[in-house]
Structure formats: C-alpha cells, structure tokens
Amino acid sequence: NALLLMSDEKYPTEQINKINKMLQSAQELEDNYNKAISLGDQLYNEGKLSEAITAYRQAKNLKPDESYPEAKINDISNQILTEQSKADAAYDEAVKSADSFIKADEFDKAIEQYNVALTIKSNEEYPKEGIRKANELKNAKAKTENDFESLLSDADKYYKAESFDDALTDYIKAGNLKPDNQYIKDQISAINNIQELNKDKADQYARLVKEADELYARQELSNALNVYQLAEKQKPNDEYITSQINKINEQLMVLGNLESAYEGYIKNADQYFENNNLDLSGTEYQKALGLKPDEAYPKQRLAEIASKIESSKALEEENTRLISEADKSYQDAIEKANQFYTEQDYPSAIVWYEKASEIKPQESSPKDRLIQINNLLLERMKNNLESYNKFIQAGDLAFQSQVFDQALEEFNKAATARPDEAYPPLMISKINKLMEDNAIIDLISTPIVLLDTTEQKYNFKAIDMRLRKNNYILIKAKKTSEKAPKVFINYGKDGLKSGGLVLKGMESDEVVDYLLRISIQDMWYRNDNNWISLYSEGGDLEITLMQISQGDIQPAR
C-alpha cells in the first residue's frame, strides 16, 4: 500500500523482501517438522524404536513447544524400559534356578538354565562362569566317588593288617570326601580307641599338637586353643605350646572374644561344679585360667576341685561316669545341631556344633559341618549382594530418567535384599520428598477408610496441559483387613471416564508409599480430566495421603 503511494521509495521494497524470506523459512520449518514426525511415526510402527526416538527428537528441536514429539519419546522410553525389565526378570529367574540346581548337585540342569540365561544376555559373565563351575563340580563329584572307593579299600586293607596309622590316614581322607558316612566314623572311632590304649603321652602330645596346628592354620582359634591346652596337660611348660596359647589369646583379645570366652568357660565350669562333675568343671576352669592367668577365682575353684579329687575314693568310677556324660552331651548337641541345620536355622546350628566341638575337640564331624555352614552363609551373602547391585543399578537408571515409580520399586527391592544398607532408604526418601514438594493437587490430606466394594470420588480443577506431561499419583496407605485389597484408580472428565490404573500388592499393615505414573496413559495428557475415584476390591484400607505430583523436574544430585 505504501508503494502505491510512493513507488520510488526503497524502504517498503526492502521490508517486503524481508517478509517474503521469513515466510519462506517458516514454510521450510513446517515442512521439515512434518517430515520428521512422519518418519518417526513410520519407524515407530515398524518397531524401530531407537531410530524413531532420533526422528522425534529432530522434530522437537525444530518445534520445541510442540507436545507430540515429547509424548512419543516418553512412550517409547517406557516401552524400552518395560522390555528391559522383562528381560532382566527372565534372566534373573534362569540364574536363580541354575544356582539352586548347583546347590542340589544337579549340574546338568544347572548348565541348561545357565544357557537359557545366556540366550537372554549373551554378554553376561556370570552364566559362563556358572557353566564352568558346574562342569568342574560335576567332574569333581565323579572324581570324589572314585577317590573315596580307592581310599576306603586301602584303609580296610591297612586295618586288617593292623597298620592303624596308615588306615586312620586313609579313613580320614575318605571321611573328608563323605563326612556323613557312618562306617568311616565307626572305623575311625575304633582306631582311636585302639591307639588310645597303645600310645604313650609323647604320641598323644604329638597328635594333639598336629591337630591344634591344623586348626590354628585354619584360624579356628577357640578350637585350636582347646586342643593346645589338652596338649599342655601332656607336657607342661612346653615353650612352643605356651607360645601358641599366648598368640591365640592375643588374637582373641584383638577380636574381642576373650571376655566372652572366659565368661563362657566360667559359666560352664560353675554348672559342672554344682553337679559335682569335677573333671569337666576342672577342664573349663583351666580353659578360663589359660585366658586370664591372673584371675583368682578359677585358681580357687581348681584348688577346691583338687582337694575333692584327692579325698575321693571312687575317682576312677567318677571319671568313667563323666566320660559317659560327655558322650551323652556331645550326642545331644549333635542331634540339636543337625535339627537346626535341617531347618536351615544356621546361627542356632553353629552354636550347637561349636558346643559339640568343645565337648569332643578330636571329633572332625562338627568342625566339617561348621565349615560347610560358613560356605553356605558366604554364598547367600554373595547372592544378596549381586541382587542388591542389580536393583540399585536399575533404580539409579530410572531415577536419572525421571521414571520415579520404577525407581521407587527398584530401591524398595534393594532395601529388602540388604536392609542394613543406607542408600536405598535415602533414595526412597528423596523420591517421596520430590513428589511431596512438587505436588500439584492434594486429594486426601486427612486419613480416610475405604471399605471393601466401596468407591470414593474426588473432584478437582483440570490441570494445565503444560503440567500433565509427567504426572504421578502418590498414595500413603495400609491394609486394615486380613486380606490384601486391590484398588482401582479411575479418572475422567465430568460424567465420562477417561482411563484408570490398578494398585496391587497392598500387603503391609503399616503405612507404605505407593507411586503410580498416571501420565503414561495418553488420555490423562490429552483430556482435561477433573475427577479421580478409588474403588477397593477384596479388603479394606486406610489412606492417609493422596496427591497428584509433577515429575518433570531436575532432581537434586
């Protein structure tokens, strides 16, 4: 219009040229954005999710304010996480099954399950190591059987030829291969009885020192101390024995076990003394005195015991009776220990196996079983640590991706696997605080009870569309009935329902935080929803808090 008035003016012409260029750029931007969206939709429909994310991100860079690319990126990210979660679960199940087969000595089945795990995650080293271990154990088991039969045959030949030292050596080796074989236990017991009758104090001393040295090398300090003290009775004031006892006492002192060991010996000694079991009480007081040589009480008791023994006219009969009682106490301890072991109550089993070993230090069965239990407990601790690390890794990944419901679930699993770890509760608290600090709408702020087959509906002002991209529902609740309820969470606009979620697994009688990512549903984002309802099925529950929170935030690191 200006040019119509003054056609020779340059300024209107320059401005018209600029506007034409801007209109051309805007059209090119729109064409490029539509091409990126079209390519992303095509790749998404073909299942090429990573390539689709790249196309949608290109569209978002062209038009940052458009919501469609961001929604599709979030949808694809959730699909990828879900597929990864399913693969992780299948892998964990296969590994868990394989590990259980290893423990049950079913090595072929274990190898089969480890191979299943490798088909899911071919780059994982643990299944490969499990297959190698299963093959080794399988071969070792076959070799053990052959070695056992050979050792047993040689031992029987030596026994018939009355070569008891050689026979005992092979019986012990065979017994180490099969600790529960009663025939070997009987043969070793028979040889021990024969040798006890034939050997003098020097032989007895040498055997005890050897056994004590082996126990000390394995760092079984309490058992080694008991055997060294028995050897000291055979050869008092021996410098080597005194030196070893002092070393063990120093180690026990460092470990903090000296005081408890001393009090345990005194307690046992007092009980034996009250029951007039003088030999056993004297042994226990001597053990206590070995730990604390300057204590007056065990010295006083030992003097009283010596006086009683000297005045006793039936010392030999009393000793026989005490030995019989020790055998009975040992058998009772073994039976209790075996029962706890069968029930997998390993701490109680350890107590009774240690008691049996204290009663009969020369017996190998309780010592072998203690080693076996320690290995089981170490393996259990290792498995818990591996699971914990996987949960923490998954939780950190979900937290960094701002998928807070999955992060909360993984950190709860980690807290269950290792309750003493501080990190999972810290992250759980951080997620809950993020949700509470970024609450958009408070639906329930005072406790309510939702009975079985009842519904509560809550109206609210529709949330601005810009705040609906990453919404969560935070619920603090507990079950109040015997059965765990299933809670249906529905939402909609005015009189129409748009969608819903289901909250399962409400097993706790204590208040628990539940986090549900409602914005994963497209109808939550697209509709101006203005009500949420809760419906309980199968039980009652109490709800102390329900909020709608915004999760599209940058968490503090």
Side-chain angles (χ1 to χ4, degrees), residues 280-506:
L280 291 178
S281 64
T283 299
E284 295 299 300
Y285 284 128
Q286 191 65 49
K287 292 177 183 177
L289 191 60
L291 295 179
K292 292 188 176 182
D294 296 329
E295 287 291 329
Y297 181 76
K299 293 180 181 178
Q300 176 186 343
R301 283 297 199 185
L302 286 170
E304 293 176 14
I305 291 170
S307 176
K308 286 189 176 186
I309 291 176
E310 288 175 2
S311 63
S312 174
K313 296 180 181 180
L315 180 58
E316 185 174 352
E317 291 80 1
E318 179 68 6
N319 286 339
T320 302
R321 185 177 68 81
L322 291 174
I323 292 171
S324 176
E325 289 182 356
D327 289 339
K328 185 178 183 304
S329 298
Y330 173 82
Q331 191 59 40
D332 290 341
I334 287 293
E335 290 177 0
K336 290 180 180 178
N338 288 340
Q339 179 181 349
F340 284 124
Y341 179 84
T342 301
E343 296 170 354
Q344 296 187 0
D345 183 358
Y346 296 130
S348 299
I350 288 173
V351 170
W352 285 100
Y353 281 127
E354 287 180 344
K355 189 171 185 65
S357 188
E358 288 179 2
I359 296 171
K360 287 193 175 184
Q362 71 276 13
E363 290 290 336
S364 62
S365 178
K367 299 182 183 69
D368 293 338
R369 186 52 64 86
L370 284 169
I371 293 173
Q372 184 180 0
I373 291 174
N374 285 332
N375 290 337
L376 286 171
L377 293 177
L378 285 173
E379 184 66 24
R380 180 181 291 177
M381 185 181 299
K382 176 184 176 184
N383 291 338
N384 283 347
L385 181 58
E386 290 175 351
S387 298
Y388 170 84
N389 288 335
K390 289 179 181 177
F391 295 144
I392 289 297
Q393 184 178 8
D396 286 340
L397 177 61
F399 184 87
Q400 292 166 8
S401 302
Q402 296 191 5
V403 184
F404 296 116
D405 56 337
Q406 292 185 14
L408 185 63
E409 180 180 354
E410 295 299 332
F411 287 130
N412 277 321
K413 291 178 183 177
T416 301
R418 291 178 70 84
D420 296 334
E421 291 289 341
Y423 184 68
L426 176 65
M427 294 304 296
I428 291 169
S429 177
K430 182 181 289 187
I431 291 171
N432 289 335
K433 188 173 187 306
L434 281 171
M435 293 299 104
E436 293 179 15
D437 290 348
N438 291 276
I440 303 173
I441 296 174
D442 290 326
L443 299 174
I444 298 176
S445 57
T446 58
I448 67 149
V449 175
L450 188 62
L451 300 178
D452 185 19
T453 68
T454 61
E455 183 176 22
Q456 291 279 0
K457 187 174 182 181
Y458 300 93
N459 297 311
F460 56 89
K461 182 180 179 181
I463 300 171
D464 189 299
M465 190 172 186
R466 292 170 296 177
L467 301 178
R468 297 203 296 257
K469 291 182 180 179
N470 195 17
N471 288 166
Y472 293 84
I473 295 180
L474 174 63
I475 297 177
K476 295 179 180 286
K478 65 178 180 179
K479 70 170 186 175
T480 56
S481 58
E482 183 177 353
K483 293 184 178 180
K486 181 162 60 175
V487 182
F488 295 88
I489 305 171
N490 296 313
Y491 63 89
K493 178 181 178 181
D494 299 331
L496 298 178
K497 175 183 173 181
S498 300
L501 301 169
V502 180
L503 175 58
K504 301 179 181 178
M506 191 173 290

Side-chain angles (χ1 to χ4, degrees), residues 275 402 477 553:
N275 294 327
Q402 296 191 5
I553 53 180

